[in-house]
Amino acid sequence: MAGRTNRVALLADAAIELLAEGGMRALTHRAVDARAGLPPGSTSAYLRTRQALIEAVVRRLADLDRADLAARELPADAPPPTPGPALTGADLDRLADGAGEVLDRWLTVGRSRTLARYACLLESVHRPELRRILEHGTLLRVQARDLLARAGAPDPDRRGDQLVAFVDGLLFDRLVGAGALSAPTPGTPASRADLAAAVRALLRALTTT
């Protein structure tokens, strides 16, 4: 079982790189075989259909993102059944710093993953069976609502959804939008500080009564 899991992860990683480089048109079973350095037919043996291949990519993206968040002590799994301790301004500042680190990572070493995620999202607009990719974003919204509730924000459900949307927009702007023209170079202390400052400003605005 572990062998199969590792092989599927290898194939998904290869597919992510292909998606980042050429979009959905570059994603074929044969291309994944070649990128992964495996014999022809290997991908189809584990992921028979194109849908299965894309779903494996989506699961892999979610797993890797969850690992990044956990490494920086940011919410990554479902919230506890009972409310956690109240968050202070200092707690929110630490969260903003951690978010800046994660976002900068997704602009550098995780850049291919971010581009692949956008490619999958666009594909899901035209293929309803792939809408499962949205589940990861739903989980993040649940976490954001819990976080803002603990910080005493008014209407934390609505503002939690806004927080995730704003941060996702910030990432998109820095990666493929006009923000890439003026923002600090990704992977530098200036970039991480600038991203953290943006998230900190969002948190302060959203937790204001």
Side-chain angles (χ1 to χ4, degrees), residues 74-75 87-100 103 140 143-156 159-167 170 195-209:
L74 295 174
L87 297 178
T88 65
D91 292 328
L92 294 179
D93 285 341
R94 284 192 293 271
L95 283 168
D97 289 339
L103 291 173
L140 290 175
Q143 289 290 348
R145 294 168 192 166
D146 175 68
L147 184 152
L148 291 184
R150 291 165 55 195
D155 197 358
R159 295 195 180 193
D161 289 353
Q162 291 172 345
L163 174 61
V164 175
F166 292 155
V167 172
L170 175 64
L195 291 164
V199 175
R200 186 176 296 109
L202 282 171
L203 289 171
R204 289 175 177 171
L206 292 171
T207 54
T208 299
T209 302

Side-chain angles (χ1 to χ4, degrees), residues 80-145:
T82 57
L87 297 178
T88 65
D91 292 328
L92 294 179
D93 285 341
R94 284 192 293 271
L95 283 168
D97 289 339
E101 294 279 347
V102 170
L103 291 173
D104 187 70
R105 178 176 176 81
W106 290 349
L107 291 171
T108 52
V109 296
R111 183 176 185 274
S112 292
R113 285 157 46 193
T114 308
L115 290 171
R117 183 184 305 105
Y118 291 146
C120 290
L121 285 168
L122 288 172
E123 181 78 359
S124 73
V125 172
H126 308 289
R127 300 182 61 182
E129 68 272 19
L130 299 180
R131 299 293 279 178
R132 282 186 56 193
I133 190 174
L134 299 180
E135 293 176 4
H136 184 49
T138 299
L139 178 59
L140 290 175
R141 280 168 167 75
V142 171
Q143 289 290 348
R145 294 168 192 166

